[in-house]
Amino acid sequence: MTDVMVRAEGVVKKFGTNTVLRDISLEVKRGEVMCLIGPSGSGKSTFLRCINHLESVSGGRLFVEDDLIGYRQKGDKIYELSPKEAAEQRRDIGMVFQKFNLFPHMTALENVIEAPIRVKKVSKAAAVARGKELLERVGLGDKFDSYPAHLSGGQQQRVAIARALAMEPKLMLFDEPTSALDPELVGEVLDVMKSLAKSGMTMIVVTHEMGFAREVADSLVFMDDGVVVESGDPRTVLANPQHERTQAFLSKVL
C-alpha cells in the first residue's frame, strides 16, 4: 500500500471563465497533517471540495491512496463516476465544514449515528456504542441527548467532527472549522483536532489559525490566486517565508 494518501497532479478548476485552481500539484503522506493557508478567494476551499468530488476538476487528476477521485479511466479516456459511485468513494473521506450542518431535529447522538446506520448498514446498537465513544472522545459525554440549538458553536462543531469520524474515514478534510466560532470557543475545537493528529489521522486543514499550523502541521502550503506560492515545513515557512507574496500575507496575520 502506498504511503501517499493524497496526490494532486496538475489540478485545474474553472467556474465558467473564472479559473480558481491553476495546476495544483502536491502530495500528502499517510498520517500527515497539511495546513492550507492564504487569503480568501485563493482556492483553498475549492481544492478541498475537489478532493472528495463535491466539485469536479476541470483538468488534472486527484488520487486518494491509488483511487482516481471522481473518475474512471478506460484506455486513454476518462469518464466521470455516477453520483452513486462518487458517494461510495466519499464514504472514506470525512469532511468538516465552517457551518456545522447538523440536523436540528436530531440529538447529538442521533446526528452521529445517522450515516453509519443508513450508509454503512451498521446495527443501531453498534452505532450507538461507537457514537457515544466518539462524543466522549470530543469531550461531549454529557451531551448525548442535547439538540444542536442547546449547544454552543464549539460544541456543535465537535459533534460535527464526531459525526465525520463515525464513518471511520481514512482521511479528514477540515474547511476553516473554527472560522464561524466565537474566539473563546476556538480552542476546544483545535484541541480535538490536535488529539486526532496525534492519533495518526491524515488531515488536510484549511485554516487561519497560524498557531495550530505551527504546532500541529507536518507541512504548510500557502496558496494565492489559485496557485501554490510556497510550501514546506510550517515553522520554517512561518518564520522565514521566501516569497514576497507569502511575506506580505503573513505580515498581516501573524
Side-chain angles (χ1 to χ4, degrees):
M1 190 181 282
T2 177
D3 70 337
V4 175
M5 178 63 79
V6 179
R7 186 168 83 255
E9 298 177 348
V11 171
V12 174
K13 176 61 183 175
K14 297 180 180 181
F15 292 101
T17 57
N18 182 24
T19 304
V20 180
L21 298 175
R22 310 164 192 269
D23 195 28
I24 301 284
S25 295
L26 53 79
E27 286 187 351
V28 183
K29 290 192 167 55
R30 186 181 306 280
E32 181 180 339
V33 178
M34 174 181 281
C35 281
L36 304 180
I37 65 168
S40 294
S42 59
K44 308 180 300 295
S45 294
T46 299
F47 178 63
L48 219 58
R49 292 172 67 83
C50 287
I51 293 172
N52 64 1
H53 205 58
L54 290 174
E55 299 286 355
S56 56
V57 298
S58 308
R61 297 181 183 190
L62 269 165
F63 297 87
V64 172
E65 290 184 325
D66 286 326
D67 294 330
L68 178 61
I69 293 297
Y71 298 88
R72 167 189 306 110
Q73 183 157 357
K74 276 194 180 174
D76 56 357
K77 291 199 171 174
I78 297 257
Y79 301 90
E80 188 164 6
L81 297 181
S82 71
K84 184 177 181 214
E85 291 169 317
E88 280 178 14
Q89 274 191 336
R90 205 177 287 130
R91 292 194 328 188
D92 295 327
I93 304 171
M95 187 154 182
V96 178
F97 301 87
Q98 291 182 39
K99 301 287 193 297
F100 323 122
N101 297 331
L102 299 178
F103 296 116
H105 61 289
M106 292 183 178
T107 64
L109 183 59
E110 287 167 345
N111 266 281
V112 172
I113 68 175
E114 176 77 359
I117 290 172
R118 281 183 180 263
V119 179
K120 286 197 159 181
K121 310 302 181 193
V122 173
S123 74
K124 183 167 184 184
V128 166
R130 176 74 174 143
K132 287 181 174 178
E133 183 185 308
L134 287 168
L135 285 168
E136 283 172 0
R137 181 174 173 186
V138 299
L140 295 173
D142 58 341
K143 301 293 183 185
F144 297 158
D145 299 323
S146 298
Y147 288 90
H150 301 138
L151 298 172
S152 70
Q155 289 170 333
Q156 289 185 61
Q157 191 62 295
R158 286 185 280 153
V159 173
I161 293 172
R163 179 180 60 182
L165 291 174
M167 290 295 283
E168 302 192 327
K170 56 191 176 188
L171 168 67
M172 284 285 284
L173 309 175
F174 292 88
D175 187 8
E176 298 191 28
T178 59
S179 65
L181 300 178
D182 291 333
E184 67 266 25
L185 302 177
V186 168
E188 64 192 45
V189 173
L190 293 181
D191 284 345
V192 169
M193 292 169 66
K194 286 175 191 173
S195 76
L196 262 185
K198 280 183 185 159
S199 75
M201 175 64 74
T202 311
M203 297 161 57
I204 304 178
V205 184
V206 172
T207 186
H208 294 296
E209 300 291 337
M210 299 302 154
F212 175 83
R214 185 187 291 109
E215 182 185 345
V216 179
D218 300 291
S219 60
L220 184 72
V221 173
F222 172 67
M223 290 177 63
D224 187 36
D225 197 27
V227 300
V228 172
V229 176
E230 188 167 346
S231 62
D233 175 78
R235 287 147 290 280
T236 304
V237 174
L238 291 172
N240 189 25
Q242 299 301 298
H243 196 284
E244 62 181 46
R245 182 67 190 91
T246 320
Q247 293 166 5
F249 174 77
L250 290 176
S251 71
K252 292 187 176 76
V253 300
L254 288 177

